[in-house]
Amino acid sequence: TVALVIDIKSVGSAAAGEDASGLWQRLRERLTDKQVGVLTRQSSEKPRELVRLLREWIAAKPERKLLVMFDEADNFLDADSKSGFRDVTLLRDLMNDTNRRFKVVFTGLHNVQRFNGIPNQPLAHFGGIQIGPLEPDAAYELIKRPFERLGYRFEEPGTILRILSYTNYHPGLIQLFCHALLERLHQSIDTDPPYTVRQLDVEAVYRDSTVQRSITERLDWTLALDMRYQAIAWSLVYDQSQSADGYARAYPPAELLRLLRQNWAQGFEPVMADELRGLLDEMQGLGILVRDAEGQYRLRSPNLVRLMGSEDDIFERLAELSRQQAPIVFDADSHHASLEGSYNYSPLTHAQERRLATPQFGVALIFANRALGWTRLPEALARMIRDRAGDSCLNQIPSTITMADQLVPWLRHFVDEHQNIRRMIVYQEVTAADPFIEERIDAAIQFCRERSKTKNRFLRIVFLFNAEATSYWVSINGAARDKLEQLSDAVVFPARWNRQGIRQLLDQHQKLGSEDAQKVLLSTTGGWMTLIDTVFTRGRSADDLRVAAGTVDAALGDVASGLRQNFRAELEIEQNIDALALMRAIDTLGGVPVDALTPDLVDVKGLTEERLTAACELLLRLGCLERDDSGTLRAEPVAARVLFA
């Protein structure tokens, strides 16, 4: 049995100038080391040849095992995702071929967390472990047992709990604090054991400026993984600084998004609610936030504020952050999984799939029109849940189930009938104004809550809203709608494809992927899935899609063309008079700041604030409006062109 730890922090790093294939060179160097001796110095470093040699080495003796642990893998996984996980696939196949006598483990920070959550990437079905704050019993023992072995006894149990409150149950902070405490205690030993650890000793260590600075630095490292983590944590502190609740207030995602846009417009104005939910869940995994039973988020502990530094320090950092540019997003989050067919891709990004695939019983709401790929959503869900183990299934909830008291018995029967299935998705298409949809969603949420402690099983109940149903949904009572979305585990708006997604598509189909080619394809199609399909179909035999994009551009400008008429119908907003008029007004004005949006701007008689808000929300969810980093609403150019030009 051979076990190796290999640091690959610079592999895949643009700053280090080393691409993803550098992993194989690192692996070969270790395997040919004399102390390891798995391979000879003459062994090739070509990936497929190296895999073949490893397969032969393992097969030579039935007791042979090789464990390779790649540390600091964030850059590598990000880089490999751009090639469709080419290198990870080779490693995965070697694991399968050797019945896991060869095993690979990747460790890292937030990119590894995000990577592991992408369904159906090569290592997804091997599972992952997220290391966060310790459970209370384990954290208590981590303090108590080592001190007892060294001859110390705590004056009272509350002394240990005080340490846990100061360190937020984070193992690294516990180690740091207890090391400083032990050093202090050693200085005053003048008797035989057992020695007493007193409350005043703990308080003295906590007041020590060196300890406080070290703890603050450790927490800063976590928040600095993503600038948006910093903005969220600091905004929560800033907003509660004058309150009397000790930083314990919980925030609905919608309210938190408004707060973040006030504090850092460039970072959060373009962010939609479903994307924010993903960030909040990541911070929950890191032990910074918790989500309560009402679907609201708060700081995991008020003591986190003290760990971050003084209020003045936090306010100063937030003010400085407010002047920064938005961070570059994780590229793989913008990619889309391939479905059956040459140019058939999921409307869902990897980031959205990750939010839908959280392993628990829960409810998800998805809103889209045909132009964004609504008709492909069932196939996308099937692709997302499919795995080799054969222990997954996708079922459609019959359209005849319209009442809550029909849905719950159906769900119970379905779960009981599939006792041997570990991962399940059931979905219902909502295709029109549905006066009972609120009750069904609420019943589904309550059903999942009853099963929340179910171990080793996953059920996602998904409601797929088309454009007409979305129009109805955004028009109902705002408070009731927000509450149901807040209690749902995922609320997803399949978006238009962005530059990173288009680059991925060009690379995977070996088309010219220059910056200009990406720019032409994005400007011609607006990132609308159905138009991207058309460009790829017309340019099927060409290496350069810019010519095909030109023919699509011309057709979209021709009032009589079938392509223009079809795309116009796929947008599915012409039947909504309020939404169409609002989009026309914004397009005519060239953009309208959100806070300047009033019914007077729209040529619809009797338009109320409530109807205006509903129309705006509909257009945002269906991709027809964009919100830039200054908070200005603009009509999506390609959609506006076919609707109004």
Side-chain angles (χ1 to χ4, degrees):
T1 298
V2 176
L4 304 173
V5 179
I6 304 175
D7 189 313
I8 57 170
K9 185 173 185 177
S10 63
V11 175
S13 167
E18 188 173 1
D19 62 25
S21 63
L23 172 136
W24 299 100
Q25 183 180 349
R26 304 290 183 88
L27 180 59
R28 179 188 174 279
E29 287 175 357
R30 292 298 304 278
L31 293 172
T32 57
D33 185 275
K34 287 183 179 180
Q35 291 183 322
V36 177
V38 171
L39 300 179
T40 66
R41 285 285 184 181
Q42 290 73 38
S43 301
S44 171
E45 63 180 43
K46 293 181 179 179
R48 294 190 180 278
E49 181 65 15
L50 199 55
V51 167
R52 182 186 66 80
L53 293 172
L54 286 174
R55 189 182 291 111
E56 291 177 354
W57 180 83
I58 291 172
K61 293 185 179 181
E63 68 274 15
R64 279 182 173 171
K65 294 180 181 179
L66 175 60
L67 170 64
V68 181
M69 294 169 278
F70 292 113
D71 196 17
E72 302 276 11
D74 296 83
N75 290 327
F76 163 74
L77 293 175
D78 192 16
D80 196 41
S81 70
K82 295 179 175 65
S83 64
F85 303 113
R86 178 184 56 210
D87 296 308
V88 171
T89 298
L90 286 174
L91 294 167
R92 187 276 312 273
D93 291 345
L94 182 57
M95 290 174 69
N96 288 334
D97 294 346
T98 59
N99 197 26
R100 300 192 76 181
R101 287 164 57 201
F102 169 82
K103 184 177 179 181
V104 62
V105 177
F106 291 108
T107 66
L109 302 171
H110 65 317
N111 276 4
V112 173
Q113 175 184 341
R114 291 167 177 172
F115 173 86
N116 181 65
I118 298 172
N120 288 302
Q121 46 81 11
L123 290 181
H125 65 280
F126 290 112
I129 298 171
Q130 185 179 63
I131 299 174
L134 293 170
E135 293 297 322
D137 288 348
Y140 192 90
E141 289 298 307
L142 180 59
I143 297 171
K144 180 173 179 285
R145 291 178 63 183
F147 271 105
E148 287 183 344
R149 296 294 175 88
L150 293 170
Y152 290 91
R153 299 292 182 270
F154 285 89
E155 190 173 44
E156 53 183 319
T159 306
I160 296 179
L161 297 178
R162 183 61 60 91
I163 296 173
L164 292 176
S165 74
Y166 288 154
T167 58
N168 201 37
Y169 293 80
H170 282 74
L173 300 184
I174 291 172
Q175 295 280 4
L176 188 153
F177 191 98
C178 289
H179 177 78
L181 176 59
L182 193 60
E183 283 191 325
R184 172 184 170 81
L185 294 170
H186 274 345
Q187 293 172 4
S188 59
I189 289 177
D190 56 4
T191 62
D192 293 330
Y195 315 117
T196 301
V197 183
R198 299 164 299 173
Q199 189 92 341
L200 62 87
D201 295 314
V202 172
E203 296 299 332
V205 170
Y206 178 68
R207 291 193 299 270
D208 186 288
S209 60
T210 302
V211 173
Q212 287 192 353
R213 186 166 55 251
S214 297
I215 289 177
T216 300
E217 287 175 351
R218 297 288 182 96
L219 190 60
D220 283 347
W221 293 346
T222 300
L223 294 177
L225 293 173
D226 191 313
M227 293 167 68
R228 294 169 298 181
Y229 294 166
Q230 295 174 320
I232 292 167
W234 297 341
S235 292
L236 288 174
V237 175
Y238 178 78
D239 194 54
Q240 299 175 81
S241 60
Q242 304 302 318
S243 68
D245 61 5
Y247 300 99
R249 181 187 168 198
Y251 289 73
E255 182 182 347
L256 185 51
L257 183 56
R258 287 192 292 271
L259 177 64
L260 291 164
R261 284 171 173 166
Q262 291 171 11
N263 292 340
W264 188 22
Q266 294 184 82
F268 283 94
E269 283 292 357
V271 172
M272 294 288 282
D274 64 331
E275 185 181 352
L276 176 65
R277 288 275 289 269
L279 291 170
L280 297 175
D281 288 340
E282 288 177 12
M283 292 183 70
Q284 183 177 11
L286 292 168
I288 306 298
L289 302 180
V290 292
R291 182 176 182 231
D292 65 19
E294 299 302 311
Q296 301 182 89
Y297 294 83
R298 61 171 175 80
L299 290 170
R300 189 173 189 269
S301 166
N303 290 308
L304 272 171
V305 180
R306 290 197 293 268
L307 300 182
M308 290 182 209
S310 69
E311 286 185 355
D312 289 342
D313 288 341
I314 294 171
F315 300 161
E316 186 176 329
R317 292 177 190 173
L318 184 59
E320 183 178 341
L321 182 63
S322 68
R323 298 187 288 271
Q324 301 294 316
Q325 294 294 319
I328 298 173
V329 298
F330 180 49
D331 269 5
D333 275 358
S334 301
H335 295 179
H336 297 249
S338 176
L339 305 176
E340 297 295 328
S342 298
Y343 302 115
N344 190 17
Y345 281 78
S346 170
L348 304 169
T349 65
H350 286 334
Q352 291 170 330
E353 287 189 350
R354 182 170 63 247
R355 294 197 279 278
L356 289 168
T358 303
Q360 60 188 27
F361 276 56
V363 173
L365 314 178
I366 304 180
F367 302 87
N369 55 18
R370 282 182 288 145
L372 291 171
W374 185 82
T375 57
R376 296 186 195 176
L377 286 171
E379 187 181 359
L381 293 176
R383 169 73 175 82
M384 191 185 82
I385 199 171
R386 191 183 304 129
D387 64 20
R388 294 188 178 193
D391 62 348
S392 63
C393 68
L394 174 78
N395 280 64
Q396 183 171 5
I397 300 171
S399 59
T400 53
I401 293 180
T402 59
M403 308 296 289
D405 58 6
Q406 295 174 298
L407 177 62
V408 173
W410 187 92
L411 290 171
R412 287 188 182 130
H413 176 73
F414 176 83
V415 172
D416 293 342
E417 194 177 48
H418 294 82
Q419 287 287 347
N420 297 324
I421 301 297
R422 185 171 60 89
R423 301 171 67 235
M424 303 167 285
I425 291 181
V426 296
Y427 70 93
Q428 186 173 55
E429 295 181 348
V430 189
T431 57
D434 186 338
F436 305 111
I437 185 61
E438 296 168 82
E439 287 81 1
R440 291 205 305 282
I441 292 173
D442 185 57
I445 291 170
Q446 298 308 318
F447 174 83
C448 289
R449 280 189 171 183
E450 293 171 7
R451 308 275 182 138
S452 61
K453 295 183 179 179
T454 303
K455 299 292 185 182
N456 302 319
R457 297 188 78 193
F458 160 88
L459 172 69
R460 182 67 77 238
I461 304 169
V462 185
F463 294 91
L464 304 178
F465 289 75
N466 74 351
E468 185 178 350
T470 302
S471 178
Y472 171 78
W473 178 256
V474 298
S475 69
I476 64 177
N477 179 275
R481 181 185 70 240
D482 290 347
K483 186 69 172 178
L484 287 173
E485 292 191 358
Q486 190 175 299
L487 292 172
S488 298
D489 291 87
V491 181
V492 174
F493 318 135
R496 303 187 315 277
W497 286 51
N498 63 14
R499 185 79 165 262
Q500 290 90 348
I502 286 175
R503 184 183 63 197
Q504 169 218 10
L505 195 58
L506 292 169
D507 290 346
Q508 288 187 352
H509 292 280
Q510 299 180 337
K511 304 292 186 181
L512 178 68
S514 66
E515 287 195 14
D516 185 66
Q518 296 172 34
K519 182 178 178 181
V520 168
L521 189 55
L522 186 58
S523 63
T524 298
T525 65
W528 294 99
M529 172 173 277
T530 53
L531 294 181
I532 292 173
D533 289 347
T534 302
V535 172
F536 270 83
T537 301
R538 292 190 178 190
R540 186 183 300 273
S541 59
D543 293 331
D544 187 346
L545 291 180
R546 284 178 289 189
V547 174
T551 66
V552 169
D553 185 67
L556 290 174
D558 181 358
V559 177
S561 79
L563 176 61
R564 176 180 171 128
Q565 293 171 8
N566 287 339
F567 177 62
R568 185 173 178 142
E570 288 169 343
L571 291 171
E572 299 184 89
I573 66 164
E574 287 189 278
Q575 287 70 39
N576 190 306
I577 296 173
D578 293 350
L580 192 66
L582 172 59
M583 186 173 173
R584 184 189 295 275
I586 291 174
D587 183 52
T588 301
L589 294 169
V592 177
V594 174
D595 54 9
L597 196 62
T598 64
D600 297 338
L601 296 175
V602 184
D603 186 20
V604 175
K605 187 176 181 180
L607 182 65
T608 63
E609 287 281 359
E610 291 76 14
R611 284 169 51 190
L612 179 69
T613 299
C616 184
E617 184 64 25
L618 174 68
L619 292 169
L620 285 168
R621 293 191 180 202
L622 299 185
C624 294
L625 281 186
E626 301 171 329
R627 181 171 179 152
D628 66 22
D629 56 14
S630 68
T632 298
L633 295 170
R634 303 186 192 280
E636 194 285 310
V638 176
R641 180 187 183 193
V642 301
L643 288 169
F644 309 128

